[in-house]
Amino acid sequence: WVDPVLPSALRTARITALLLDSGRRLWVGTAEALYALAPGPVGEIRRFDASSGFSGVRRSGGLLQTRDGRIWVAANAGLSVFDGQSFRTYTRRNGVPAEGLSGMAEDRDGNLWVGTRAQGLLRVAHGGFLSYGAGEETGGPGVGEIFEDGRANLYVWGGDRLRQKLFYFDGEQLRDVTPEAVERAGPSGRGRHQIVIPEASGEIWLGGASGLWHLPRVDEPAALKRVPVTFWKAAQEMGEISRLFEDSRGRLWVSSLGGPQAPGPVARKPTFLSRWDRSTGRFSPVAAVERLGRGAPSAFAEDRYGNLWIGFSSGGLARLRGEAVDLFLTGAGSINDLFIDGGARLWIATANGGVVRMEDLDSSRPRSISYTAAQGLSSDRVLCVTADHRGFLYFGHGRGIDQLNPRTGRVRTLTAIDGLPSRVVNVAYRAQDGSLWFGTPSGPSRYLPDDPRVEAPPPIFLTGVRIGGVPMLLPPLGQHDVSGLELPPEHNQVDVRFIGISFAYGAGLRYQYQQKGSAAGWSEPRADRSVLLGNLAPGKYRFLFRAVTPDGVVSPAPASLAFTLLPPYWQRWWFVLLVAVAAAAVGWALHRAQVSRLLELERVRTRIAADLHDDLSSSLARISILSELGRRQMSGPKEAAGTILDQIGETARELIEATGDIVWAIDTRRGDLESLLARIRRFAGDLLEARGIGVLFAGPPRAAEIVLRPEMKRDLYLVLKEALHNACKHAQARTVWIEVAATGRELVAEVRDDGVGFAENNGHSGNGLRNLRERAARLGGTLAVDSVPGQGTRVRLSVRL
């Protein structure tokens, strides 16, 4: 079915694309033209073809309406956009391929994405940069300066060191309008050359390597190519001209690199700054500035008070007021550019110190504020400065452009992804229509400052998680939440990588993270897209990550990483329980041992008390009785009295010996085996050697390290003492051997003699042997008594330590 109202050309044409826009107009694309059909039975039909600047729709999918109402067309000659009145086409000169354009889409930040067959995916940034070339060249000339004449015609002075040209911007591309005389002059030198346009006359002053070119005013910029030009050669002592500047009074200031001293009787010094005299055509050195000794000026600016500010490539800033000059040393290296903003503040682009802002420019000591990488700039080496109609500052450097909002201090970085043709931006200029132009080695770019747009919050995804150096498997496009992980104790370092997505120009996303539930809150924003969570203590963790735009817009929902770091086995509940049970058992055992020791000590005390009662009481009673008998017999024979006194002395000695044994037994400082053996040695020597019996003794090598319980010490001593008493009284021996050995947890004590011996059934197994066995039983040991008549006796005691 064909609507009879349609033009005949549209009925037979091969239709390549259709679009119904927001105004209910139907757009029909063909290989030769584009039609816009208004709604209604007799709606208006508009046709756009080559005469309208349109070259036809190449293929399906080549029509798109963006949210701002513009119609985009993937046309035969490039990418075209219809703003409601006319078409504008972007071609190779703007970095857009002329062929192979296919589907188009608009993202949430207003950027246009275009598919191409040869160059992949192309992004046309909303509010981004448009680059321009000369003629059909895809790349533009290296830019030295950008300027306008009195009628707002925009020019670009650029090229390379060997060939500098003057280009005029016709709204679509750069056109070469270099005057033939300038072109024939050859190389323009190695400096950066400033173009000066006197506003009143519309003339153009062009600085060459060796002098000044004067270009008269023309009605059409294209006529500059053939206009007669005038040239004024610079003095020899000036050397190569590097910069020109015209102040508000029409005076022309010329910066030069300084030539060699002229020979002759009156030597002329090199000149670095001169004023151009229009009436005489001569260059006059500025003595006040020359005396500073700073060399060639590299930048000029004039404030509202009429002060001329001069920056030097050797560093330092001069203020010229009339013939008086003040020098300010910024300490930031070479000064690359100067700019006076709408608030009468001076912005200084430096080589090493970022940008310096000076205020109160007419005072004797202007105030200054520095903006460096510490305040968010991408580079401390700034090449140029300008500002837009909102007062936002733009700093060009080797990493793109930094946009500074001086009211908030926020910095947005614009780079190649926003349309810049090069990372290096060395020229900045604000045109009379408010557009900003930036010069790069790859050509000029235009930027249209727009009112701030509300940025869409940037989503964020986890792109990598490394646990103990081992990467975790995540989807190729990342994952928003990762949870349920259990990490072994040795993997207490987790490396997390993340990325936010923002299509807004100069997004410059930064990132923050925080531990959920921590009082520290969000970390400081930083550009790094990874964080190392190290030296974590065992426990449950949940970390949140979010992206932040330069305007403070954060991710709608932070990405999350949750995991449990297991404690070491010695910190787990079952191990703690086992340790607690073991500690309780050890404590109970120690308590029992202490109680047993106290009971043993109590038994020793009880036994000592009994011994004191039995031995001391009986001995004292005997001494008392013998003393009474001695008193009665004092009048009798002396032999009887002497016998009684001998018995008293013997009883006293026995009492002293028993008392010494009791004191030694309860002395805790002598509780080791070495003390016991020393006492046995002393006792054996006193008892046996006095009767002519030899004593041989052997003990363990580390007896001092063997600690004996109080009761064991006493009973062991008494056993050995009793055995020695028996050997002394009954054995009739010549030698007695005492041997004590400690093997493992067993102590063996042996007393043997070479005496007469005895048979156990001959009546000698009396109280002595019975006492020995009773004491051995109390010790929990084993007593063995071996004796053969005529072959001596051996008493052997074995006890556990």
Side-chain angles (χ1 to χ4, degrees), residues 52-372:
S52 308
F54 180 73
S55 58
V57 182
R58 180 176 295 275
R59 59 188 297 144
S60 176
L63 290 173
L64 175 72
Q65 184 180 30
T66 52
R67 289 196 296 270
D68 57 10
R70 294 186 293 175
I71 305 295
W72 291 84
V73 185
N76 294 331
L79 184 64
S80 297
V81 59
F82 181 68
D83 59 7
Q85 300 296 327
S86 61
F87 279 94
R88 176 184 179 86
T89 301
Y90 301 95
T91 62
R92 287 196 304 265
R93 296 189 303 270
N94 311 111
V96 178
E99 299 179 352
L101 301 181
S102 57
M104 296 182 292
E106 182 186 21
D107 64 31
R108 60 184 181 176
D109 289 304
N111 303 301
L112 181 67
W113 296 83
V114 184
T116 70
R117 288 199 299 270
Q119 298 184 15
L121 194 61
L122 175 69
R123 186 182 82 154
V124 180
H126 176 84
F129 294 85
L130 293 178
S131 300
Y132 297 94
E136 292 300 321
E137 297 178 7
T138 56
V143 178
E145 288 297 338
I146 302 174
F147 66 98
E148 290 175 286
D149 63 17
R151 291 176 294 174
N153 294 317
L154 189 130
Y155 295 87
V156 174
W157 171 247
D160 53 35
R161 290 184 177 180
L162 299 178
R163 188 180 182 189
Q164 294 281 331
K165 288 191 173 186
L166 184 63
F167 296 93
Y168 161 68
F169 177 64
D170 65 0
E172 294 288 338
Q173 64 180 3
L174 301 178
R175 298 187 180 276
D176 184 0
V177 294
T178 311
E180 295 175 355
V182 176
E183 195 164 6
R184 287 195 303 268
S188 300
R190 63 177 182 272
R192 175 184 172 189
H193 304 285
Q194 173 80 29
I195 312 302
V196 179
I197 309 91
E199 292 291 340
S201 63
E203 301 168 345
I204 297 177
W205 291 90
L206 173 62
S210 56
L212 297 181
W213 296 94
H214 173 253
L215 282 60
R217 174 175 176 170
V218 294
D219 294 329
E220 291 294 333
L224 284 173
K225 204 163 184 67
R226 294 175 299 277
V227 297
V229 297
T230 307
F231 178 73
W232 281 271
K233 184 175 176 60
Q236 182 180 1
E237 60 269 21
M238 293 176 60
E240 184 178 315
I241 293 178
S242 60
R243 295 299 302 269
L244 301 178
F245 180 77
E246 185 186 32
D247 63 20
S248 59
R249 286 178 279 182
R251 295 180 297 181
L252 197 61
W253 301 80
V254 183
S255 170
S256 56
L257 301 181
Q261 284 190 237
V266 181
R268 296 179 180 177
K269 295 182 180 180
T271 299
F272 299 101
L273 179 62
S274 304
R275 271 195 299 259
W276 166 251
D277 189 337
R278 295 174 184 270
S279 60
T280 63
R282 293 182 179 180
F283 300 92
S284 303
V286 183
V289 177
E290 291 283 339
R291 284 194 292 268
L292 297 176
R294 308 304 299 183
S298 54
F300 296 88
E302 184 182 14
D303 63 28
R304 65 172 58 171
Y305 308 106
N307 301 316
L308 181 65
W309 293 85
I310 305 171
F312 298 93
S313 58
S314 60
L317 179 69
R319 179 179 59 186
L320 186 62
R321 292 194 284 191
E323 295 301 322
V325 64
D326 301 309
L327 180 64
F328 304 92
L329 298 176
T330 61
S334 173
I335 293 180
N336 296 321
D337 198 11
L338 298 175
F339 178 77
I340 305 289
D341 68 9
R345 297 173 296 190
L346 176 64
W347 296 83
I348 308 167
T350 71
N352 302 319
V355 178
V356 179
R357 187 183 78 190
M358 294 187 71
E359 301 177 352
D360 298 332
L361 300 183
D362 204 37
S363 67
S364 59
R365 299 184 63 182
R367 294 180 292 112
S368 63
I369 300 173
S370 295
Y371 294 86
T372 65

Side-chain angles (χ1 to χ4, degrees), residues 14 27 30 57 69 76 90-91 109 124 191 266 307 365 377 395 434 501 560 598 600 645 655 670 743 789:
R14 184 172 65 89
W27 293 79
T30 72
V57 182
N76 294 331
Y90 301 95
T91 62
D109 289 304
V124 180
V266 181
N307 301 316
R365 299 184 63 182
L377 297 189
F395 309 136
I501 299 177
S560 171
L598 292 175
E600 182 180 0
L645 291 175
L655 182 59
R670 300 173 182 176
T743 58

Side-chain angles (χ1 to χ4, degrees), residues 483-497:
S483 60
L485 303 179
E486 285 193 352
L487 312 185
E490 62 274 14
H491 290 168
N492 63 342
Q493 289 193 340
V494 180
D495 184 13
V496 188
R497 299 179 183 274

Side-chain angles (χ1 to χ4, degrees), residues 111 123-131 399-402 412-422 445-448 502-508:
N111 303 301
R123 186 182 82 154
V124 180
H126 176 84
F129 294 85
L130 293 178
S131 300
R399 297 180 179 178
I401 300 171
D402 284 334
R412 182 192 300 271
T413 302
L414 310 174
T415 63
I417 63 174
D418 302 297
L420 276 175
S422 171
S445 286
R446 185 178 65 169
Y447 174 69
L448 301 176
S502 176
F503 301 119
Y505 70 90

Side-chain angles (χ1 to χ4, degrees), residues 519-663:
W522 290 99
S523 65
E524 288 296 321
R526 59 179 190 172
D528 296 340
R529 298 200 311 252
S530 66
V531 63
L532 179 62
L533 309 174
N535 298 323
L536 299 175
K540 292 185 177 181
Y541 292 92
R542 186 182 178 208
F543 287 93
L544 303 178
F545 308 88
R546 70 183 185 184
V548 186
T549 69
D551 291 332
V553 180
V554 301
S555 300
S560 171
L561 173 65
F563 58 87
T564 300
L565 181 61
L566 299 176
Y569 67 87
W570 61 82
Q571 294 182 4
R572 302 186 188 182
W573 67 268
W574 53 267
F575 185 85
V576 174
L577 181 60
L578 288 178
V579 170
V581 172
V586 171
W588 175 249
L590 293 176
H591 175 70
R592 289 195 62 183
Q594 185 177 10
V595 171
S596 298
R597 187 175 182 85
L598 292 175
L599 291 176
E600 182 180 0
L601 185 60
E602 186 62 26
R603 287 194 293 269
V604 170
R605 290 173 178 170
T606 302
R607 195 167 294 120
I608 289 173
D611 291 343
L612 288 173
H613 181 269
D614 295 342
D615 295 344
L616 294 183
S617 297
S618 61
S619 297
L620 290 174
R622 184 181 180 192
I623 290 174
S624 176
I625 293 172
L626 291 175
S627 299
E628 181 64 25
L629 289 176
R631 185 182 63 79
R632 292 179 181 180
Q633 295 180 4
M634 289 294 295
S635 58
K638 293 184 178 179
E639 293 80 4
T643 301
I644 293 173
L645 291 175
D646 289 341
Q647 293 177 353
I648 292 174
E650 179 67 20
T651 302
R653 283 191 294 274
E654 291 178 354
L655 182 59
I656 291 172
E657 182 180 347
T659 304
D661 290 345
I662 292 171
V663 172

